[in-house]
């Protein structure tokens, strides 16, 4: 068979197998081969590298879409020098993703704008690149989705779907109070997921406030019992990155801690009932 026919046959196979990237560089690779710039082995290697590279990029893009992660919020684009209270080494250790294999929880705590969502997303993007199934949601959206599924009689399927993610990221715990049924649904998810999948939480509230957030100290204690077991807790105590150019315009009382516009002020003098422990750290 002539080499022209062989080349045509290869092209047909590449089209049939949808190896479009390898096909794109086939002619050029053959020319280089004929000019002895490449060995046959190198030429084969180039074709497969090209095809694999394109597929990997496409896979990551599609996984990022289904995971609902924000784009561009990576570890590399996080300026650690802006957050000196944050231990870079601990973040880099998390980015090795052992916590996903071990089905552990990670809590990123701190006031608004310190990069909690950015870091949670960055770990999610690293996990997608490592071929993990990732799902990003806010707590409010998650509970709304569970409540809808419950109304439609599909709660178990929904729980199974969410728990298929090896990494679930639950953003904004504590920004909005959760009503009783929502807290129960969330507990069902956490219980089903316990020691079966990893979860990252971001929150601007301390664990002591979970009773208030979930409207029930018993549920909050049961949640924390599972979610703090073997968990990593990272607290970021710095300033808002969003406000870095206008920090002087924000009153001191609003800059740090819980009493920000995103955390309604506690009623004065109201005692905390059964404060829950927030001491567990690893
Ligand atoms: P939080 O979730 O803690 O409220 P975000 O993660 O949403 O804060 O951060 C607010 C904005 O500032 C985002 O656009 C984020 O990418 C950016 N940002 C925050 N911290 C940093 C940082 N240290 N380096 C680079 N960008 C940052
Ligand atoms: Mg956030």
């Amino acid at each position: 068979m002539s080499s022209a026919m062989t080349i045509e046959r290869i092209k047909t196979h590449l089209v049939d197998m949808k190896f479009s990237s390898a096909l794109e560089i086939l002619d050029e690779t053959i020319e280089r081969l004929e000019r002895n710039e490449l060995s046959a082995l190198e030429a084969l290697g180039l074709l497969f590298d090209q095809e694999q590279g394109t597929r990997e990029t496409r896979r990551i893009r599609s996984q990022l879409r289904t995971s609902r992660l924000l784009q561009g919020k990576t570890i590399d684009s996080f300026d650690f020098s802006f957050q000196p209270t944050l231990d870079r080494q601990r973040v880099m250790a998390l980015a090795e993703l052992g916590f996903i294999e071990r089905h552990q929880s990670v809590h990123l705590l701190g006031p608004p704008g310190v990069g909690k969502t950015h870091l949670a997303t960055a770990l999610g993007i690293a996990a997608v690149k490592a071929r993990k199934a990732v799902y990003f949601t806010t707590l409010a959206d998650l509970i709304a989705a569970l409540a809808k599924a419950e109304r439609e009689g599909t709660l178990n399927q929904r729980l199974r779907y969410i728990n298929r993610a090896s990494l679930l990221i639950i953003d904004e715990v504590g920004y909005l109070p959760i009503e009783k049924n929502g807290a129960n649904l969330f507990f069902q998810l956490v219980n089903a997921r316990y020691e079966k999948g990893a979860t990252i939480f971001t929150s601007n509230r301390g664990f002591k406030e979970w009773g208030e957030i979930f409207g029930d100290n018993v549920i909050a204690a049961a949640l924390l019992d599972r979610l703090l077991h073997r968990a990593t807790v990272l607290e970021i105590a710095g300033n808002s990155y969003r406000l870095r150019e206008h920090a002087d315009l924000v009153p001191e009382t609003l800059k740090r801690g819980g009493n920000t516009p995103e955390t309604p002020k506690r009623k004065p003098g109201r005692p905390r009932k059964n404060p829950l422990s927030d001491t567990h750290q690893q």
Side-chain angles (χ1 to χ4, degrees), residues 55-63 128-129 131:
R55 285 177 184 222
E56 186 64 4
T57 310
R58 210 181 296 141
R59 184 191 68 80
I60 290 172
R61 201 181 307 136
S62 135
Q63 279 303 306
V128 164
K129 289 185 178 162
R131 298 180 171 264

Side-chain angles (χ1 to χ4, degrees), residues 19-282:
F19 275 44
S20 53
S21 293
L23 180 63
E24 265 172 39
I25 63 157
L26 182 69
D27 285 333
E28 164 201 329
T29 307
I30 291 170
E31 281 164 26
R32 291 179 65 194
L33 193 59
E34 284 168 352
R35 290 198 300 269
N36 289 323
E37 286 172 23
L38 296 172
S39 70
L41 211 53
E42 285 168 336
L44 263 181
L46 268 186
L47 292 172
F48 280 107
D49 287 349
Q50 177 78 8
E51 185 61 38
Q52 201 277 342
T54 317
R55 285 177 184 222
E56 186 64 4
T57 310
R58 210 181 296 141
R59 184 191 68 80
I60 290 172
R61 201 181 307 136
S62 135
Q63 279 303 306
L64 287 176
R65 251 198 315 273
T66 35
S67 65
R68 312 204 301 173
L69 287 159
L70 287 170
Q71 304 240 354
K73 308 287 181 193
T74 59
I75 302 272
D76 288 344
S77 66
F78 191 83
D79 178 4
F80 284 90
S81 68
F82 188 79
Q83 279 321 336
T85 65
L86 179 65
D87 185 345
R88 184 170 196 273
Q89 291 314 314
R90 290 185 77 197
V91 176
M92 297 320 278
L94 286 172
E96 283 170 20
L97 308 178
F99 76 99
I100 298 181
E101 304 299 332
R102 296 189 295 269
H103 307 151
Q104 291 172 331
S105 299
V106 174
H107 298 267
L108 300 173
L109 307 181
V114 292
K116 302 181 298 295
T117 302
H118 186 132
L119 285 174
T121 306
L123 293 170
I125 292 174
V128 164
K129 289 185 178 162
R131 298 180 171 264
K132 308 284 181 204
V134 180
Y135 190 72
F136 180 100
T137 177
T138 62
L139 180 62
D141 284 352
L142 175 67
I143 288 178
L146 294 178
K148 180 165 179 281
E150 187 184 39
R151 283 195 302 278
E152 293 170 355
T154 56
L155 181 61
N156 282 334
Q157 284 104 298
R158 192 75 205 166
L159 288 171
R160 269 201 302 276
Y161 173 78
I162 294 167
N163 280 336
R164 271 211 298 270
S166 359
L167 173 60
L168 175 63
I169 301 177
I170 304 180
D171 200 23
E172 300 187 352
V173 173
Y175 278 63
L176 298 168
I178 307 299
E179 44 80 269
K180 175 100 180 144
N181 189 47
N184 281 329
L185 289 169
F186 182 58
F187 178 74
Q188 287 186 54
L189 173 81
V190 166
N191 206 30
R193 191 167 179 79
Y194 178 57
E195 296 200 318
K196 295 201 188 81
T199 315
I200 300 178
F201 297 86
T202 81
S203 183
N204 60 341
R205 313 276 296 267
F207 298 124
K208 283 184 181 151
E209 295 173 86
W210 277 40
E212 198 179 308
I213 296 166
F214 290 95
D216 183 320
N217 280 337
V218 176
I219 288 192
L223 283 170
L224 286 174
D225 187 55
R226 286 152 183 81
L227 298 179
L228 288 178
H229 180 210
R230 296 161 60 230
T232 298
V233 181
L234 284 183
E235 292 200 54
I236 316 175
N239 294 320
S240 169
Y241 192 85
R242 291 190 191 100
L243 297 174
R244 65 198 181 286
E245 279 144 24
H246 304 292
D248 50 331
L249 302 179
V250 181
E252 265 323 301
T253 48
L254 293 184
K255 272 188 195 165
R256 286 167 198 260
N259 294 335
T260 64
E262 284 164 284
T263 54
K265 205 172 168 69
R266 188 188 298 277
K267 282 185 206 139
R270 194 166 121 218
R272 291 184 184 194
K273 284 179 245 152
N274 298 334
L276 295 151
S277 161
D278 65 345
T279 51
H280 184 107
Q281 287 207 16
Q282 244 185 38

